[in-house]
Coordinates of all heavy atoms in Angstrom, one line a residue:
T294 N 19.0 16.4 -22.9 CA 17.7 15.9 -22.4 C 17.9 14.6 -21.8 O 17.5 14.3 -20.7 CB 16.7 15.8 -23.5 OG1 16.3 17.2 -23.9 CG2 15.5 15.1 -23.1
T295 N 18.6 13.7 -22.5 CA 18.9 12.3 -22.0 C 19.6 12.4 -20.6 O 19.3 11.7 -19.7 CB 19.7 11.5 -23.0 OG1 18.9 11.4 -24.2 CG2 19.9 10.1 -22.5
G296 N 20.6 13.2 -20.6 CA 21.4 13.4 -19.3 C 20.6 13.8 -18.1 O 20.7 13.2 -17.0
V297 N 19.7 14.8 -18.4 CA 18.9 15.3 -17.3 C 17.9 14.2 -16.9 O 17.6 14.0 -15.7 CB 18.2 16.6 -17.7 CG1 17.0 16.9 -16.7 CG2 19.2 17.7 -17.8
L298 N 17.3 13.5 -17.8 CA 16.3 12.5 -17.5 C 16.9 11.3 -16.8 O 16.3 10.7 -15.9 CB 15.6 12.0 -18.8 CG 14.7 13.0 -19.5 CD1 14.2 12.5 -20.8 CD2 13.5 13.4 -18.6
D299 N 18.2 11.0 -17.2 CA 18.9 9.9 -16.5 C 19.1 10.3 -15.0 O 19.0 9.4 -14.1 CB 20.2 9.7 -17.1 CG 20.1 8.9 -18.4 OD1 19.1 8.4 -18.7 OD2 21.1 8.9 -19.2
L300 N 19.4 11.6 -14.7 CA 19.6 12.0 -13.3 C 18.3 11.9 -12.6 O 18.3 11.4 -11.4 CB 20.1 13.4 -13.3 CG 21.6 13.6 -13.7 CD1 21.9 15.1 -13.9 CD2 22.5 13.0 -12.7
L301 N 17.2 12.4 -13.2 CA 15.9 12.3 -12.5 C 15.5 10.9 -12.2 O 15.0 10.5 -11.1 CB 14.8 13.0 -13.3 CG 15.0 14.5 -13.4 CD1 13.9 15.1 -14.4 CD2 14.8 15.2 -12.1
T302 N 15.8 10.0 -13.2 CA 15.4 8.6 -13.0 C 16.2 8.0 -11.9 O 15.7 7.2 -11.1 CB 15.7 7.8 -14.3 OG1 14.9 8.4 -15.4 CG2 15.4 6.3 -14.2
E303 N 17.5 8.3 -11.8 CA 18.4 7.8 -10.7 C 17.9 8.3 -9.4 O 17.9 7.5 -8.4 CB 19.8 8.1 -11.0 CG 20.8 7.6 -10.0 CD 20.7 6.1 -9.8 OE1 20.4 5.4 -10.8 OE2 21.0 5.6 -8.7
L304 N 17.6 9.6 -9.3 CA 17.1 10.1 -8.0 C 15.8 9.4 -7.6 O 15.6 9.0 -6.4 CB 16.7 11.6 -8.2 CG 18.0 12.5 -8.3 CD1 17.5 14.0 -8.7 CD2 18.8 12.5 -7.0
N305 N 14.9 9.1 -8.5 CA 13.7 8.3 -8.2 C 14.0 6.9 -7.7 O 13.4 6.4 -6.8 CB 12.8 8.3 -9.4 CG 11.5 7.5 -9.1 OD1 11.2 6.5 -9.8 ND2 10.7 8.0 -8.2
R306 N 15.0 6.3 -8.4 CA 15.4 4.9 -7.9 C 15.9 4.9 -6.5 O 15.8 4.0 -5.8 CB 16.5 4.4 -8.9 CG 16.1 4.0 -10.2 CD 17.1 3.2 -11.0 NE 16.7 2.9 -12.3 CZ 17.4 3.2 -13.4 NH1 18.5 3.9 -13.4 NH2 16.9 2.8 -14.6
Q307 N 16.5 6.1 -6.1 CA 17.0 6.2 -4.7 C 15.9 6.6 -3.8 O 16.2 6.7 -2.6 CB 18.1 7.3 -4.7 CG 19.3 6.9 -5.5 CD 20.3 8.1 -5.7 OE1 20.1 9.2 -5.1 NE2 21.3 7.9 -6.5
G308 N 14.7 6.7 -4.2 CA 13.5 7.0 -3.3 C 12.9 8.3 -3.4 O 12.0 8.7 -2.7
Q309 N 13.5 9.2 -4.3 CA 12.9 10.6 -4.4 C 11.6 10.6 -5.1 O 11.4 10.1 -6.2 CB 13.9 11.4 -5.2 CG 13.5 12.9 -5.4 CD 13.3 13.6 -4.1 OE1 14.3 13.7 -3.4 NE2 12.2 14.2 -3.9
S310 N 10.6 11.2 -4.5 CA 9.3 11.4 -5.1 C 9.4 12.5 -6.1 O 9.9 13.6 -5.8 CB 8.2 11.7 -4.1 OG 8.2 10.7 -3.0
I311 N 8.8 12.3 -7.3 CA 8.9 13.3 -8.4 C 7.6 13.5 -9.0 O 6.8 12.5 -9.3 CB 9.9 12.9 -9.5 CG1 11.4 12.8 -8.9 CG2 10.0 13.9 -10.6 CD1 12.4 12.3 -9.9
L312 N 7.2 14.8 -9.2 CA 6.0 15.1 -10.0 C 6.4 16.0 -11.1 O 6.9 17.1 -10.9 CB 5.0 15.8 -9.1 CG 3.7 16.3 -9.8 CD1 2.9 15.1 -10.4 CD2 2.8 17.1 -8.8
M313 N 6.2 15.5 -12.4 CA 6.8 16.3 -13.5 C 5.7 16.5 -14.6 O 4.9 15.6 -14.9 CB 7.9 15.4 -14.2 CG 8.5 16.0 -15.4 SD 9.9 15.1 -16.1 CE 9.0 13.6 -16.7
V314 N 5.6 17.7 -15.1 CA 4.8 18.1 -16.2 C 5.7 18.0 -17.5 O 6.8 18.5 -17.5 CB 4.3 19.5 -16.0 CG1 3.7 20.1 -17.4 CG2 3.2 19.6 -15.0
T315 N 5.1 17.4 -18.5 CA 5.9 17.3 -19.8 C 4.9 17.1 -20.9 O 3.8 16.6 -20.8 CB 7.0 16.2 -19.7 OG1 7.8 16.3 -20.9 CG2 6.3 14.8 -19.7
H316 N 5.4 17.5 -22.1 CA 4.7 17.1 -23.4 C 5.6 16.2 -24.2 O 5.3 15.8 -25.3 CB 4.4 18.4 -24.2 CG 5.6 19.1 -24.7 ND1 6.3 19.9 -24.0 CD2 6.2 19.0 -25.9 CE1 7.4 20.4 -24.7 NE2 7.3 19.8 -25.9
D317 N 6.8 15.9 -23.7 CA 7.8 15.2 -24.4 C 7.8 13.7 -24.0 O 7.9 13.3 -22.9 CB 9.2 15.7 -24.0 CG 10.3 15.2 -24.8 OD1 10.2 14.2 -25.5 OD2 11.4 15.8 -24.8
M318 N 7.6 12.8 -25.1 CA 7.5 11.4 -24.8 C 8.8 10.9 -24.2 O 8.8 9.9 -23.4 CB 7.3 10.7 -26.2 CG 7.1 9.2 -26.0 SD 5.7 8.7 -24.9 CE 4.3 9.3 -25.9
R319 N 10.0 11.4 -24.6 CA 11.2 11.0 -24.0 C 11.2 11.1 -22.5 O 11.9 10.4 -21.8 CB 12.4 11.7 -24.6 CG 12.7 11.4 -26.1 CD 13.7 12.4 -26.6 NE 13.3 13.8 -26.6 CZ 14.0 14.8 -26.9 NH1 15.3 14.6 -27.3 NH2 13.5 16.0 -26.8
A320 N 10.6 12.2 -22.0 CA 10.5 12.4 -20.6 C 9.3 11.5 -19.9 O 9.5 11.0 -18.9 CB 10.2 13.9 -20.3
A321 N 8.2 11.4 -20.6 CA 7.1 10.7 -20.1 C 7.4 9.2 -19.8 O 6.9 8.7 -18.8 CB 5.9 10.8 -21.1
V322 N 8.2 8.6 -20.6 CA 8.5 7.2 -20.4 C 9.2 6.9 -19.1 O 9.3 5.8 -18.7 CB 9.3 6.6 -21.6 CG1 8.5 6.7 -22.9 CG2 10.7 7.2 -21.8
R323 N 9.8 7.9 -18.5 CA 10.6 7.7 -17.3 C 9.7 7.6 -16.1 O 10.1 7.1 -15.0 CB 11.5 8.9 -17.1 CG 12.5 9.2 -18.2 CD 13.4 8.0 -18.4 NE 14.4 8.2 -19.5 CZ 15.7 8.4 -19.2 NH1 16.1 8.3 -18.0 NH2 16.5 8.6 -20.2
G324 N 8.4 8.0 -16.2 CA 7.5 7.9 -15.1 C 6.9 6.5 -14.9 O 6.9 5.6 -15.8
N325 N 6.5 6.2 -13.7 CA 5.8 4.9 -13.4 C 4.3 5.1 -13.4 O 3.5 4.2 -13.3 CB 6.3 4.2 -12.2 CG 5.9 5.0 -10.9 OD1 6.6 6.0 -10.6 ND2 4.9 4.6 -10.2
R326 N 3.9 6.4 -13.4 CA 2.5 6.8 -13.4 C 2.3 8.0 -14.3 O 2.9 9.0 -14.1 CB 2.0 7.0 -12.0 CG 0.5 7.3 -11.8 CD 0.2 7.6 -10.4 NE -1.2 7.8 -10.1 CZ -1.7 8.7 -9.2 NH1 -0.9 9.3 -8.5 NH2 -3.0 8.8 -9.1
V327 N 1.3 8.0 -15.2 CA 1.1 9.1 -16.1 C -0.4 9.5 -15.9 O -1.3 8.7 -16.1 CB 1.4 8.8 -17.6 CG1 1.3 10.0 -18.4 CG2 2.7 8.1 -17.7
L328 N -0.6 10.8 -15.6 CA -1.9 11.4 -15.5 C -2.2 12.2 -16.7 O -1.4 12.9 -17.2 CB -2.0 12.2 -14.2 CG -1.6 11.6 -12.9 CD1 -1.6 12.6 -11.8 CD2 -2.4 10.4 -12.6

Side-chain angles (χ1 to χ4, degrees):
T294 289
T295 300
V297 166
L298 292 175
D299 285 346
L300 287 172
L301 292 174
T302 301
E303 181 57 31
L304 288 171
N305 179 245
R306 285 190 184 123
Q307 295 170 7
Q309 178 65 55
S310 306
I311 299 175
L312 178 60
M313 178 176 70
V314 164
T315 190
H316 68 277
D317 189 344
M318 182 60 64
R319 292 172 297 174
V322 297
R323 301 303 182 107
N325 65 281
R326 183 183 183 214
V327 187
L328 308 177

